[in-house]
Amino acid sequence: VQLQASGGGLVQAGGSLRLSCAASARTFSYYAMGWFRQAPGKEREFVAGINWSGGTLRYADSVKGRFTVSRDSAKNTMYLQMNSLKPEDTAVYFCATQKYGSSDLGAVDYWGQGTQVTVSS
């Protein structure tokens, strides 16, 4: 399974970005999908995820109400809509997948490459 993340960039505080993660195979059939991020000098942290059946979404407390995770099975693509961005959202964002995983992707099987998100104040 290969994952390709895109959509990062530089945005002012309060702005929006949409990240995309394209999967190389029919990953959605049996895989949970999610987003993680890593800021400079910090550990990678969970941001948002969808469980393998697509019925459960989960968000980190820091992004609830601002970020929305979704997926398009027909396009094998997952999205992260990020609104009301804050400087503390600045990080490299990674997409990930786990076979038969729950919405928090506790044991990631595959990682995509990261995409940089920078929010200026």
Side-chain angles (χ1 to χ4, degrees), residues 8-116:
L10 173 64
V11 64
Q12 289 188 333
S16 299
L17 282 175
R18 189 177 81 156
L19 305 184
S20 299
C21 177
S24 62
R26 295 187 64 181
T27 308
F28 296 156
S29 297
Y30 306 106
Y31 285 79
M33 301 285 293
W35 293 94
F36 292 72
R37 67 186 182 186
Q38 187 167 18
K42 295 187 177 181
E43 294 187 352
R44 191 172 299 188
E45 63 176 0
F46 172 80
V47 176
I50 306 174
N51 77 324
W52 72 271
S53 67
T56 304
L57 307 181
R58 186 187 297 262
Y59 297 92
D61 288 343
S62 58
V63 306
K64 281 181 182 177
R66 301 187 298 119
F67 290 11
T68 302
V69 63
S70 63
R71 70 185 194 188
D72 185 336
S73 297
K75 296 182 178 180
N76 282 349
T77 301
M78 175 181 61
Y79 304 98
L80 184 68
Q81 178 66 44
M82 305 186 295
N83 298 328
S84 302
L85 282 161
K86 304 175 181 180
E88 50 263 44
D89 294 319
T90 295
V92 178
Y93 284 71
F94 299 88
C95 56
T97 185
Q98 178 186 349
K99 192 169 186 178
Y100 294 121
S102 61
S103 55
D104 64 357
L105 282 84
V108 172
D109 292 322
Y110 301 98
W111 293 96
Q113 96 295 353
T115 184
Q116 176 71 46

